[in-house]
Amino acid sequence: AVTDRSGAKLYAFDNATGAKKWELDPGEYRKCCTTPTVNPVTGDIYYMTTTAKEIFSVKSDGTLKWQYEGMEAVNKCASAVVSKDGSVVFFADNSANVHAVKASTGEKIWGVTLVGNVQGMVLNGNELFCACDAMTGGGVFLNATDGTTIASVDLYKNCNDGSSISVDPVKTT
């Protein structure tokens, strides 16, 4: 899947031939802002738009599954994260809110407000780590089930983009 910078069109291409398989256009006044995220179980694709403040769920065949409109402002830095079992999608808006929704329906499970905007997220088991912006200089570990804070850490003071986050193969670091 690739998004169109001038709009929110989502494209899928055949890996072997490069031929376009399908294109989804959710309408004008919607510009894409995050890298699409693929559900590891269903193959559904999630991506956010800036103007409409929405996250879209698109089936692997290019049809719209659902859209979530509960964001105050769209965060251009943090792409969505999906649980290992493919049942929950986590994403952040630009008002320091983190959302968890059911991957099957887009129904909100929980939402929390952090001290700063999320620059990147990673899920490790039942812990969702959110790296916050340079103004707050830290990160927050959230319980992925209910959004409660597990711990906060002071990471940096001069970081502009913390979107490159990963977990080691043993899942301990």
Side-chain angles (χ1 to χ4, degrees):
V2 177
T3 56
D4 181 344
R5 293 194 73 170
S6 64
K9 291 181 183 177
L10 185 68
Y11 302 92
F13 298 91
D14 183 283
N15 283 340
T17 66
K20 184 168 68 171
K21 294 172 79 172
W22 53 259
E23 170 183 325
L24 175 72
D25 184 353
E28 65 178 322
Y29 306 118
R30 291 181 168 101
K31 291 190 178 182
C32 182
C33 67
T34 60
T35 303
T37 300
V38 178
N39 188 309
V41 176
T42 65
D44 293 342
I45 303 158
Y46 310 100
Y47 74 108
M48 289 181 255
T49 62
T50 54
T51 311
K53 304 174 191 164
E54 298 166 320
I55 183 167
F56 289 91
S57 174
V58 180
K59 295 179 189 177
S60 60
D61 66 2
T63 57
L64 184 64
K65 187 171 184 177
W66 54 256
Q67 65 191 70
Y68 179 85
E69 299 174 350
M71 294 184 283
E72 293 181 32
V74 171
N75 186 334
K76 296 180 182 181
C77 297
S79 294
V81 175
V82 183
S83 63
K84 183 178 179 180
D85 67 1
S87 66
V88 181
V89 181
F90 304 92
F91 52 93
D93 66 26
N94 208 35
S95 295
N97 299 307
V98 178
H99 306 259
V101 301
K102 291 181 181 178
S104 59
T105 63
E107 177 186 348
K108 188 172 187 173
I109 299 169
W110 58 259
V112 297
T113 302
L114 302 179
V115 296
N117 289 330
V118 175
Q119 299 295 302
M121 297 184 294
V122 66
L123 185 65
N124 183 21
N126 196 41
E127 293 181 357
L128 178 67
F129 177 71
C130 302
C132 296
D133 61 19
M135 299 304 290
T136 57
V140 179
F141 289 89
L142 300 175
N143 181 315
T145 304
D146 60 15
T148 57
T149 299
I150 297 169
S152 296
V153 292
D154 186 17
L155 297 175
Y156 42 77
K157 292 297 179 197
N158 295 310
C159 181
N160 291 324
D161 185 359
S163 61
S164 299
I165 304 170
S166 61
V167 178
D168 76 337
V170 183
K171 309 276 189 232
T172 59
T173 306

